[in-house]
Amino acid sequence: MSEKKAPGVWEGFKAFLMRGNVIDLAVAVVIGAAFTNIVNAVVKGVINPIVGAFGTKDLEGYKSCVKGDCSGGDGIEILWGTVLSATLSFLITAAVVYFLMVLPMAKYLARKANQDAAKEGTQEVLEISELEVLKEIRDALVAQRGPGHSEP
């Protein structure tokens, strides 16, 4: 009896790397990193100054002191402006991804599914009409034979 040898670690790793979805994931990470720079630039160059028009010019300048004197260095600072800036970056990124990628792809897939369903529906109609035509031909042939002939 010959036993099958289990694939080694190296073969498994090669198979993992050669899968198409690993390459797609790598491309997505690179594009995402580049897109992050764009979003950060928009937040810092446009959003922060607009929000800063109501207060300081930089969102990261918004902070609160919880304990002690923060100007002396012995207090505990809460940097909520940094959190607000990161939240705005996330919301902008999510909105752009949704409206420019997810929504159009969902509409495209729905349109494609409707076209496929319509094609299947017309195929069924064609099959039914072919069957009806064949029945009519059979009935016409039987009628031509006359009443004395029996069907095979």
Side-chain angles (χ1 to χ4, degrees), residues 36-90:
T36 299
N37 291 334
I38 294 171
V39 170
N40 288 338
V42 168
V43 169
K44 287 181 181 178
V46 177
I47 304 297
N48 284 357
I50 290 172
V51 173
F54 301 104
T56 63
K57 294 288 181 191
D58 186 15
L59 276 181
E60 295 178 8
Y62 290 108
K63 54 187 165 186
S64 298
C65 193
V66 175
K67 182 178 177 183
D69 183 22
C70 289
S71 62
D74 59 343
I76 299 173
E77 287 185 334
I78 303 293
L79 303 173
W80 58 272
T82 304
V83 174
L84 181 62
S85 179
T87 302
L88 287 173
S89 294
F90 170 76

Side-chain angles (χ1 to χ4, degrees), residues 2-3 8 19 23 26 29 35-36 42-43 51-52 58 60 63-64 68 81 92-94 99 107 129 140 148:
S2 66
E3 292 184 28
R19 280 192 212 156
I23 303 299
V29 167
F35 185 67
T36 299
V42 168
V43 169
V51 173
D58 186 15
E60 295 178 8
K63 54 187 165 186
S64 298
I92 291 170
T93 303
F99 289 112
K107 287 183 179 180
S129 63

